[in-house]
Amino acid sequence: MDPTPTSLFESYEQDFRHIIHGISDKLQDGGKNQIGEQRKAALRKVELELDEADDVVSQLEVEIQGIPNSVKAPYATRLKQAKADLSKYKKLSKDLQFQATRSDLLGGYRADSSRSDDPYGENSDRTRLLAGTETLNDGSRRIQDSTGIALETEAQGADILRSLRGQREQIENSRSMLNTADIHIDRASGTLKGMLYQMKKQRFILSGIGIFFVVLILTILYFKLSR
């Protein structure tokens, strides 16, 4: 498998589309056509798969940071579409959960409506309405809890992205510093080479001067001794 940012993005996107397709099938077949416990079971599976799809979208957000800007635009559009699809199916799932709860309440009300005329009895309208209200409140609390978890997960994902972005900037700054150090080292190396050349040149000149004086002294001594 090619470990490039675009190939990883496309792989996660393919996983996301597979999950979304399964969610769509469950919402169409189980969420709308089934009733009772079968419908509830199907909607619970949808919730789990929506959480999985949310994790994949977070991974897509991580991978798109490593895609070069020259080719990032179409992938950003695909990421935006994935987020829109995820939001659409989350809303559809919540709507179907509400409809299922309401259907169960109304079904219970019809089944028990002719059992008692006592307004304060166990099966009275008032008792059933209170029970129904409590069930709706419980469903609302669950939805709020799920929303809170989703928001917390999104915030954690954003923190991770910011951390990764900061680490990337640190790596780029370190790379820039290394390049600058290489330039200075090259300059220093050139300066040292120039100094060594000058030292050799001066040594050669001094050696020539020394030889000249030795020859001069020997010549003077020769003329003096020859007289």
Side-chain angles (χ1 to χ4, degrees):
M1 178 178 173
D2 184 10
T4 60
T6 55
S7 65
L8 290 174
F9 184 95
E10 291 172 354
S11 176
Y12 284 117
E13 184 184 30
Q14 185 177 2
D15 293 341
F16 174 80
R17 291 300 168 194
H18 178 73
I19 295 171
I20 285 295
H21 181 72
I23 290 172
S24 177
D25 290 342
K26 289 182 178 65
L27 290 177
Q28 291 296 329
D29 297 336
K32 294 182 178 180
N33 299 330
Q34 296 178 356
I35 59 175
E37 291 301 323
Q38 291 181 344
R39 189 178 192 182
K40 292 180 181 179
L43 292 176
R44 283 194 293 268
K45 290 181 180 178
V46 167
E47 287 184 7
L48 295 175
E49 292 186 359
L50 284 171
D51 291 338
E52 185 178 357
D54 203 351
D55 292 338
V56 176
V57 168
S58 298
Q59 191 61 43
L60 288 174
E61 292 177 335
V62 173
E63 295 302 330
I64 200 171
Q65 300 299 321
I67 296 178
N69 291 330
S70 58
V71 296
K72 183 180 288 187
Y75 292 94
T77 302
R78 288 155 66 175
L79 175 58
K80 184 178 180 180
Q81 182 61 46
K83 289 182 177 179
D85 291 341
L86 181 60
S87 298
K88 179 182 73 174
Y89 283 107
K90 281 184 176 180
K91 183 178 183 303
L92 181 58
S93 176
K94 290 179 181 179
D95 291 342
L96 290 176
Q97 288 177 3
F98 176 79
Q99 291 176 11
T101 303
R102 183 172 179 273
S103 177
D104 290 342
L105 290 174
L106 292 177
Y109 172 75
R110 294 190 187 98
D112 296 334
S113 59
S114 60
R115 292 182 183 177
S116 175
D117 294 329
D118 183 1
Y120 299 100
E122 182 180 357
N123 295 320
S124 66
D125 292 344
R126 181 175 180 276
T127 302
R128 288 193 295 272
L129 287 174
L130 289 174
T133 302
E134 181 62 27
T135 302
L136 286 175
N137 290 335
D138 184 61
S140 298
R141 284 194 296 270
R142 291 183 181 179
I143 292 175
Q144 290 176 356
D145 292 340
S146 300
T147 303
I149 293 173
L151 292 174
E152 182 180 355
T153 303
E154 184 177 355
Q156 291 177 353
D159 291 338
I160 293 173
L161 287 175
R162 284 193 292 270
S163 177
L164 290 174
R165 191 177 297 113
Q167 293 177 7
R168 182 180 181 183
E169 290 177 355
Q170 291 178 355
I171 292 172
E172 290 177 351
N173 291 334
S174 299
R175 185 180 301 169
S176 177
M177 292 175 62
L178 288 175
N179 290 334
T180 303
D182 287 340
I183 293 173
H184 289 316
I185 290 172
D186 291 338
R187 291 178 179 175
S189 177
T191 302
L192 289 174
K193 288 180 181 178
M195 292 174 63
L196 289 174
Y197 175 76
Q198 292 295 330
M199 288 176 62
K200 291 180 180 179
K201 184 178 179 180
Q202 290 177 1
R203 185 180 299 174
F204 178 76
I205 293 173
L206 290 175
S207 299
I209 293 172
I211 293 172
F212 172 76
F213 279 111
V214 170
V215 172
L216 180 61
I217 292 171
L218 292 176
T219 302
I220 294 172
L221 291 174
Y222 172 74
F223 282 109
K224 285 187 176 182
L225 291 176
S226 62
R227 292 179 181 178

mmCIF file of all heavy atoms in Angstrom, residues 142-169:
data_model
loop_
_atom_site.group_PDB
_atom_site.id
_atom_site.type_symbol
_atom_site.label_atom_id
_atom_site.label_comp_id
_atom_site.label_asym_id
_atom_site.label_seq_id
_atom_site.Cartn_x
_atom_site.Cartn_y
_atom_site.Cartn_z
ATOM 1 N N ARG A 142 -30.761 11.351 27.034
ATOM 2 C CA ARG A 142 -29.814 10.496 26.322
ATOM 3 C C ARG A 142 -29.256 11.189 25.082
ATOM 4 O O ARG A 142 -28.068 11.101 24.770
ATOM 5 C CB ARG A 142 -30.488 9.186 25.931
ATOM 6 C CG ARG A 142 -30.812 8.286 27.114
ATOM 7 C CD ARG A 142 -31.426 6.970 26.650
ATOM 8 N NE ARG A 142 -31.755 6.108 27.773
ATOM 9 C CZ ARG A 142 -32.321 4.895 27.648
ATOM 10 N NH1 ARG A 142 -32.627 4.439 26.428
ATOM 11 N NH2 ARG A 142 -32.577 4.173 28.713
ATOM 12 N N ILE A 143 -30.155 11.880 24.366
ATOM 13 C CA ILE A 143 -29.698 12.598 23.176
ATOM 14 C C ILE A 143 -28.713 13.699 23.559
ATOM 15 O O ILE A 143 -27.689 13.910 22.900
ATOM 16 C CB ILE A 143 -30.897 13.185 22.411
ATOM 17 C CG1 ILE A 143 -31.729 12.041 21.801
ATOM 18 C CG2 ILE A 143 -30.440 14.134 21.313
ATOM 19 C CD1 ILE A 143 -33.003 12.504 21.135
ATOM 20 N N GLN A 144 -29.007 14.426 24.656
ATOM 21 C CA GLN A 144 -28.102 15.468 25.113
ATOM 22 C C GLN A 144 -26.755 14.884 25.534
ATOM 23 O O GLN A 144 -25.705 15.469 25.253
ATOM 24 C CB GLN A 144 -28.734 16.226 26.278
ATOM 25 C CG GLN A 144 -29.914 17.103 25.870
ATOM 26 C CD GLN A 144 -30.579 17.774 27.063
ATOM 27 O OE1 GLN A 144 -30.206 17.518 28.211
ATOM 28 N NE2 GLN A 144 -31.572 18.612 26.801
ATOM 29 N N ASP A 145 -26.800 13.727 26.215
ATOM 30 C CA ASP A 145 -25.541 13.075 26.604
ATOM 31 C C ASP A 145 -24.730 12.679 25.378
ATOM 32 O O ASP A 145 -23.508 12.862 25.332
ATOM 33 C CB ASP A 145 -25.822 11.840 27.469
ATOM 34 C CG ASP A 145 -26.402 12.206 28.830
ATOM 35 O OD1 ASP A 145 -26.235 13.374 29.233
ATOM 36 O OD2 ASP A 145 -27.014 11.333 29.473
ATOM 37 N N SER A 146 -25.420 12.113 24.383
ATOM 38 C CA SER A 146 -24.730 11.725 23.151
ATOM 39 C C SER A 146 -24.139 12.936 22.446
ATOM 40 O O SER A 146 -23.013 12.900 21.938
ATOM 41 C CB SER A 146 -25.691 10.987 22.214
ATOM 42 O OG SER A 146 -26.200 9.818 22.818
ATOM 43 N N THR A 147 -24.922 14.035 22.437
ATOM 44 C CA THR A 147 -24.416 15.266 21.809
ATOM 45 C C THR A 147 -23.204 15.797 22.560
ATOM 46 O O THR A 147 -22.223 16.242 21.956
ATOM 47 C CB THR A 147 -25.526 16.335 21.784
ATOM 48 O OG1 THR A 147 -26.658 15.819 21.087
ATOM 49 C CG2 THR A 147 -25.037 17.590 21.089
ATOM 50 N N GLY A 148 -23.265 15.742 23.905
ATOM 51 C CA GLY A 148 -22.124 16.201 24.701
ATOM 52 C C GLY A 148 -20.876 15.369 24.428
ATOM 53 O O GLY A 148 -19.773 15.904 24.309
ATOM 54 N N ILE A 149 -21.060 14.037 24.333
ATOM 55 C CA ILE A 149 -19.923 13.165 24.032
ATOM 56 C C ILE A 149 -19.359 13.475 22.660
ATOM 57 O O ILE A 149 -18.132 13.520 22.457
ATOM 58 C CB ILE A 149 -20.349 11.690 24.131
ATOM 59 C CG1 ILE A 149 -20.699 11.332 25.585
ATOM 60 C CG2 ILE A 149 -19.251 10.774 23.615
ATOM 61 C CD1 ILE A 149 -21.297 9.957 25.758
ATOM 62 N N ALA A 150 -20.277 13.705 21.691
ATOM 63 C CA ALA A 150 -19.813 14.022 20.332
ATOM 64 C C ALA A 150 -19.028 15.332 20.315
ATOM 65 O O ALA A 150 -17.983 15.445 19.669
ATOM 66 C CB ALA A 150 -21.006 14.106 19.380
ATOM 67 N N LEU A 151 -19.526 16.340 21.037
ATOM 68 C CA LEU A 151 -18.823 17.629 21.086
ATOM 69 C C LEU A 151 -17.474 17.490 21.784
ATOM 70 O O LEU A 151 -16.479 18.098 21.357
ATOM 71 C CB LEU A 151 -19.690 18.669 21.814
ATOM 72 C CG LEU A 151 -20.975 19.101 21.092
ATOM 73 C CD1 LEU A 151 -21.799 20.017 21.981
ATOM 74 C CD2 LEU A 151 -20.639 19.785 19.771
ATOM 75 N N GLU A 152 -17.440 16.682 22.857
ATOM 76 C CA GLU A 152 -16.181 16.473 23.560
ATOM 77 C C GLU A 152 -15.166 15.763 22.662
ATOM 78 O O GLU A 152 -13.981 16.107 22.627
ATOM 79 C CB GLU A 152 -16.423 15.652 24.823
ATOM 80 C CG GLU A 152 -15.171 15.424 25.654
ATOM 81 C CD GLU A 152 -15.456 14.610 26.906
ATOM 82 O OE1 GLU A 152 -16.649 14.314 27.161
ATOM 83 O OE2 GLU A 152 -14.505 14.283 27.624
ATOM 84 N N THR A 153 -15.652 14.759 21.913
ATOM 85 C CA THR A 153 -14.767 14.048 20.986
ATOM 86 C C THR A 153 -14.256 14.974 19.899
ATOM 87 O O THR A 153 -13.075 14.934 19.518
ATOM 88 C CB THR A 153 -15.529 12.874 20.347
ATOM 89 O OG1 THR A 153 -16.020 12.005 21.374
ATOM 90 C CG2 THR A 153 -14.610 12.082 19.426
ATOM 91 N N GLU A 154 -15.150 15.842 19.406
ATOM 92 C CA GLU A 154 -14.727 16.800 18.370
ATOM 93 C C GLU A 154 -13.678 17.761 18.918
ATOM 94 O O GLU A 154 -12.704 18.088 18.233
ATOM 95 C CB GLU A 154 -15.953 17.572 17.884
ATOM 96 C CG GLU A 154 -15.645 18.536 16.739
ATOM 97 C CD GLU A 154 -16.890 19.242 16.228
ATOM 98 O OE1 GLU A 154 -17.990 18.911 16.710
ATOM 99 O OE2 GLU A 154 -16.756 20.112 15.359
ATOM 100 N N ALA A 155 -13.872 18.211 20.179
ATOM 101 C CA ALA A 155 -12.891 19.120 20.782
ATOM 102 C C ALA A 155 -11.542 18.430 20.958
ATOM 103 O O ALA A 155 -10.483 19.017 20.709
ATOM 104 C CB ALA A 155 -13.414 19.619 22.133
ATOM 105 N N GLN A 156 -11.584 17.156 21.394
ATOM 106 C CA GLN A 156 -10.336 16.412 21.543
ATOM 107 C C GLN A 156 -9.639 16.242 20.198
ATOM 108 O O GLN A 156 -8.413 16.366 20.092
ATOM 109 C CB GLN A 156 -10.621 15.046 22.169
ATOM 110 C CG GLN A 156 -11.057 15.120 23.623
ATOM 111 C CD GLN A 156 -11.404 13.760 24.193
ATOM 112 O OE1 GLN A 156 -11.438 12.749 23.468
ATOM 113 N NE2 GLN A 156 -11.662 13.693 25.480
ATOM 114 N N GLY A 157 -10.435 15.961 19.151
ATOM 115 C CA GLY A 157 -9.843 15.840 17.821
ATOM 116 C C GLY A 157 -9.202 17.140 17.374
ATOM 117 O O GLY A 157 -8.113 17.149 16.779
ATOM 118 N N ALA A 158 -9.874 18.272 17.676
ATOM 119 C CA ALA A 158 -9.303 19.570 17.302
ATOM 120 C C ALA A 158 -8.009 19.833 18.063
ATOM 121 O O ALA A 158 -7.044 20.367 17.495
ATOM 122 C CB ALA A 158 -10.322 20.676 17.588
ATOM 123 N N ASP A 159 -7.967 19.443 19.358
ATOM 124 C CA ASP A 159 -6.730 19.604 20.137
ATOM 125 C C ASP A 159 -5.600 18.773 19.552
ATOM 126 O O ASP A 159 -4.448 19.217 19.476
ATOM 127 C CB ASP A 159 -6.971 19.203 21.594
ATOM 128 C CG ASP A 159 -7.880 20.192 22.317
ATOM 129 O OD1 ASP A 159 -7.974 21.343 21.856
ATOM 130 O OD2 ASP A 159 -8.479 19.806 23.331
ATOM 131 N N ILE A 160 -5.927 17.551 19.134
ATOM 132 C CA ILE A 160 -4.905 16.684 18.532
ATOM 133 C C ILE A 160 -4.384 17.297 17.240
ATOM 134 O O ILE A 160 -3.174 17.302 16.964
ATOM 135 C CB ILE A 160 -5.480 15.277 18.286
ATOM 136 C CG1 ILE A 160 -5.768 14.581 19.622
ATOM 137 C CG2 ILE A 160 -4.518 14.440 17.451
ATOM 138 C CD1 ILE A 160 -6.499 13.261 19.473
ATOM 139 N N LEU A 161 -5.308 17.844 16.434
ATOM 140 C CA LEU A 161 -4.895 18.480 15.183
ATOM 141 C C LEU A 161 -3.992 19.680 15.449
ATOM 142 O O LEU A 161 -2.984 19.880 14.755
ATOM 143 C CB LEU A 161 -6.130 18.915 14.390
ATOM 144 C CG LEU A 161 -6.943 17.787 13.732
ATOM 145 C CD1 LEU A 161 -8.191 18.367 13.089
ATOM 146 C CD2 LEU A 161 -6.100 17.061 12.691
ATOM 147 N N ARG A 162 -4.354 20.492 16.448
ATOM 148 C CA ARG A 162 -3.506 21.642 16.783
ATOM 149 C C ARG A 162 -2.138 21.185 17.256
ATOM 150 O O ARG A 162 -1.111 21.784 16.904
ATOM 151 C CB ARG A 162 -4.191 22.498 17.848
ATOM 152 C CG ARG A 162 -5.326 23.359 17.312
ATOM 153 C CD ARG A 162 -5.732 24.401 18.334
ATOM 154 N NE ARG A 162 -6.352 23.790 19.496
ATOM 155 C CZ ARG A 162 -7.660 23.572 19.606
ATOM 156 N NH1 ARG A 162 -8.476 23.915 18.634
ATOM 157 N NH2 ARG A 162 -8.156 23.022 20.690
ATOM 158 N N SER A 163 -2.107 20.112 18.057
ATOM 159 C CA SER A 163 -0.820 19.589 18.534
ATOM 160 C C SER A 163 0.033 19.091 17.367
ATOM 161 O O SER A 163 1.238 19.364 17.295
ATOM 162 C CB SER A 163 -1.061 18.456 19.541
ATOM 163 O OG SER A 163 0.151 17.891 19.954
ATOM 164 N N LEU A 164 -0.590 18.362 16.445
ATOM 165 C CA LEU A 164 0.144 17.870 15.287
ATOM 166 C C LEU A 164 0.645 19.014 14.421
ATOM 167 O O LEU A 164 1.768 18.968 13.886
ATOM 168 C CB LEU A 164 -0.760 16.943 14.455
ATOM 169 C CG LEU A 164 -1.108 15.598 15.088
ATOM 170 C CD1 LEU A 164 -2.124 14.851 14.222
ATOM 171 C CD2 LEU A 164 0.138 14.744 15.270
ATOM 172 N N ARG A 165 -0.179 20.051 14.288
ATOM 173 C CA ARG A 165 0.234 21.213 13.490
ATOM 174 C C ARG A 165 1.433 21.899 14.147
ATOM 175 O O ARG A 165 2.386 22.314 13.465
ATOM 176 C CB ARG A 165 -0.934 22.184 13.341
ATOM 177 C CG ARG A 165 -0.679 23.284 12.314
ATOM 178 C CD ARG A 165 -1.896 24.184 12.158
ATOM 179 N NE ARG A 165 -3.034 23.428 11.641
ATOM 180 C CZ ARG A 165 -4.130 23.167 12.319
ATOM 181 N NH1 ARG A 165 -4.245 23.583 13.569
ATOM 182 N NH2 ARG A 165 -5.127 22.486 11.780
ATOM 183 N N GLY A 166 1.396 22.021 15.498
ATOM 184 C CA GLY A 166 2.530 22.632 16.198
ATOM 185 C C GLY A 166 3.795 21.813 16.045
ATOM 186 O O GLY A 166 4.890 22.357 15.844
ATOM 187 N N GLN A 167 3.673 20.480 16.137
ATOM 188 C CA GLN A 167 4.846 19.622 15.963
ATOM 189 C C GLN A 167 5.408 19.742 14.554
ATOM 190 O O GLN A 167 6.631 19.738 14.351
ATOM 191 C CB GLN A 167 4.469 18.175 16.262
ATOM 192 C CG GLN A 167 4.113 17.923 17.712
ATOM 193 C CD GLN A 167 3.675 16.505 17.954
ATOM 194 O OE1 GLN A 167 3.748 15.654 17.069
ATOM 195 N NE2 GLN A 167 3.200 16.221 19.156
ATOM 196 N N ARG A 168 4.510 19.856 13.580
ATOM 197 C CA ARG A 168 4.975 20.002 12.202
ATOM 198 C C ARG A 168 5.737 21.313 12.028
ATOM 199 O O ARG A 168 6.782 21.351 11.366
ATOM 200 C CB ARG A 168 3.778 19.954 11.259
ATOM 201 C CG ARG A 168 4.160 20.044 9.781
ATOM 202 C CD ARG A 168 2.937 19.985 8.897
ATOM 203 N NE ARG A 168 3.279 20.056 7.499
ATOM 204 C CZ ARG A 168 2.402 20.084 6.518
ATOM 205 N NH1 ARG A 168 1.117 20.031 6.802
ATOM 206 N NH2 ARG A 168 2.780 20.152 5.268
ATOM 207 N N GLU A 169 5.224 22.391 12.633
ATOM 208 C CA GLU A 169 5.921 23.675 12.543
ATOM 209 C C GLU A 169 7.286 23.600 13.215
ATOM 210 O O GLU A 169 8.266 24.172 12.705
ATOM 211 C CB GLU A 169 5.067 24.759 13.191
ATOM 212 C CG GLU A 169 3.800 25.098 12.404
ATOM 213 C CD GLU A 169 2.940 26.121 13.121
ATOM 214 O OE1 GLU A 169 3.292 26.481 14.274
ATOM 215 O OE2 GLU A 169 1.922 26.558 12.540
#
